[in-house]
Amino acid sequence: MVRRRPLTGVSLILIAVALSGAAAEPAPPEGGPGPTTVPRHVAGRLIRVVLPVTDTVANVARRMIRGAVEQFREAGQLNGKSRPVLVLELDPGEKGFGAGSQFGAAVSLAELLTSRELTAVKTVAYLPRPIRGHGVLVAMACEEIVMAPDAAIGQAGVDVPAGAPIRQAVRDFYRQIATLRRTIPVAVALGMLDKDLEVHKVETEVSVEFVLAQNLADLRKRLTIQSDEVLIPAGELGTFTGRQARKLGFAKYLAANRDDLAKALKLSGLPLKKLFNTAGKSYR
């Protein structure tokens, strides 16, 4: 078993995975079959963010994200043909699964990830291990979530002080990000934040819906419910493993390691294991 190195201070690492397009095929002999289409590799960068998210971590992460976008621009990869991929690997650190993130710091990072400034790139959150607390908000702010099968996402409410009510501004921002990205449904996001809420997974004749218990009556008035199960019971903070999240549609792919991540995102064509391991020896 590989021992993890202690993580101290801010630990954000940018890995430049320079992936160029595949070479064009030579012209076929006259009268022969036409050229086949050769897929182009996707350019990618990976930024490792160690949780919990503090003001310092968020400031460094924002600077590195903007730096990665500038590198894409300088390399001519923001050409409108395919969007480069920017991966945020959320590392929960040594203990607590990343709990202890500052809400304001997580908001500042989420706002950048959902801003027009980053529309030219595709943002992906990668969770190699379980995370909880407001770091969940950062994952939700990305366009896609990729998880290791045994990783988990949820329990965002552990970063709310014990006994304190959840501020409306906190609820509203979780709702805003969930509505914007649609990776994790609004009801599920709120069920991760507030243990007093009960979340149901409901199948109607139209679609599968994720609904707060308090909204079930309104749904029954509009649609015929064919099945109804409690996804997050009241009294619990919702949390889901990678396998569960993939089955429910919250996670786009499952990836046990960075090699699997690269394959899932089509970052292929170079010795990625070596490149990714330059910052990932403590994981493998």
Side-chain angles (χ1 to χ4, degrees), residues 200-205 207-209 216 219-220 224-230:
H200 289 236
K201 178 188 175 189
V202 176
E203 184 175 354
T204 73
E205 75 274 20
S207 62
V208 173
E209 306 277 346
L216 269 176
L219 181 64
R220 291 182 187 277
T224 300
I225 293 180
Q226 298 175 340
S227 67
D228 177 8
E229 66 175 292
V230 176

Side-chain angles (χ1 to χ4, degrees), residues 96-101 131-138 154-159 174:
F97 300 110
S101 290
I131 70 167
R132 62 179 185 165
H134 290 315
V136 169
L137 191 58
V138 178
Q155 298 184 24
V158 299
D159 281 345
Y174 271 80

Side-chain angles (χ1 to χ4, degrees), residues 23 28 33 36 90 102 111 162 282:
T36 58
L90 302 180
Q102 300 168 0
E111 286 180 333
S282 62

